[in-house]
Amino acid sequence: AAPRPAHGCGSGALLGRFGVLLQALLALCAFSTLMLKRFKEPKSERRPWRIWFYDTSKQAIGALFIHFANVFLSDLTEEDPCSLYLINFILDATLGMLLIWLGVKVVSWIVQHKKYTYLVFGEYGDPPQAAAWIGQCILYLLIMVFEKTVISLVLLIPGWTKLQQILLGYIPNPQLELVLVMFVVPFIVNAIMFWVVDSLIMRKYKQKDALDINGSTETPRARRTEESQVLLSPDMDFDQSESDQDVSGLWGTNQKMKQPSYQVVI
């Protein structure tokens, strides 16, 4: 057995039984924030479950790829894989977040310029097509591969070893360090990242729905007004026509009464 370091978790701790349990708990808690986000959306803009699954599953695939890549890279060291995993995670949450945003913007501009409608993030057709979801998952996974490649190149810069030695050196208990690195910090940061990225890749139809809502609330009132005008206008015309006939009849009678009569005597 490999000797345990003076501080930090030992080699293979991330893939141990306790580490895997923490990772499963992290996945359950982190993705529950996406469900909470759906229920926080207004009812008029809330996505159907199928569209919500298509949107969030792309993040799930990307997050799993980043997580297992970080576990693999962190387990290459024999000193303290927990601190190296934390460094990878912090870089993913800062510089990586900027790279993901940039990648989504560039890919969205390209597919809109080429008029690939089903590859626009959040657009799946009507009815939703699984082929569009698969294509968008591949694009998002390519963005995550690009992000992780850049982060791995950044880690090759000298100086990270010293930060790794002092980052979690004040925690004497290896299991406490594992809980902090694999659950507490990732849960907080992942919740924020999932919320932001979901808003970035979901369909933007708030303005259209707002117009539809306004139309649906105003249309019945307008219809009632038009119906009332239609119902009232014949009666008004009828009354007006009758009054006009009465006046014309009276006027004609008065003219007959006032007209002088002449008798011709031969």
Side-chain angles (χ1 to χ4, degrees), residues 165-178:
Q165 293 176 354
I166 64 175
L167 190 60
L168 296 173
Y170 58 89
I171 300 179
N173 191 343
Q175 289 190 345
L176 179 60
E177 180 178 343
L178 192 61

Side-chain angles (χ1 to χ4, degrees), residues 71-84:
V71 171
F72 174 75
L73 293 174
S74 302
D75 206 44
L76 293 179
T77 181
E78 296 181 357
E79 297 180 356
D80 188 6
C82 290
S83 60
L84 185 57

Side-chain angles (χ1 to χ4, degrees), residues 139-161:
L139 286 179
Y140 189 75
L141 186 58
L142 291 176
I143 293 174
M144 303 306 288
V145 171
F146 165 74
E147 182 267 342
K148 196 63 217 174
T149 303
V150 175
I151 296 300
S152 300
L153 294 176
V154 172
L155 283 174
L156 296 178
I157 300 175
W160 294 106
T161 306

Side-chain angles (χ1 to χ4, degrees), residues 187-202:
F187 171 70
I188 297 174
V189 179
N190 273 330
I192 299 174
M193 289 182 61
F194 288 163
W195 199 291
V196 173
V197 175
D198 185 63
S199 301
L200 185 64
I201 64 177
M202 67 181 291

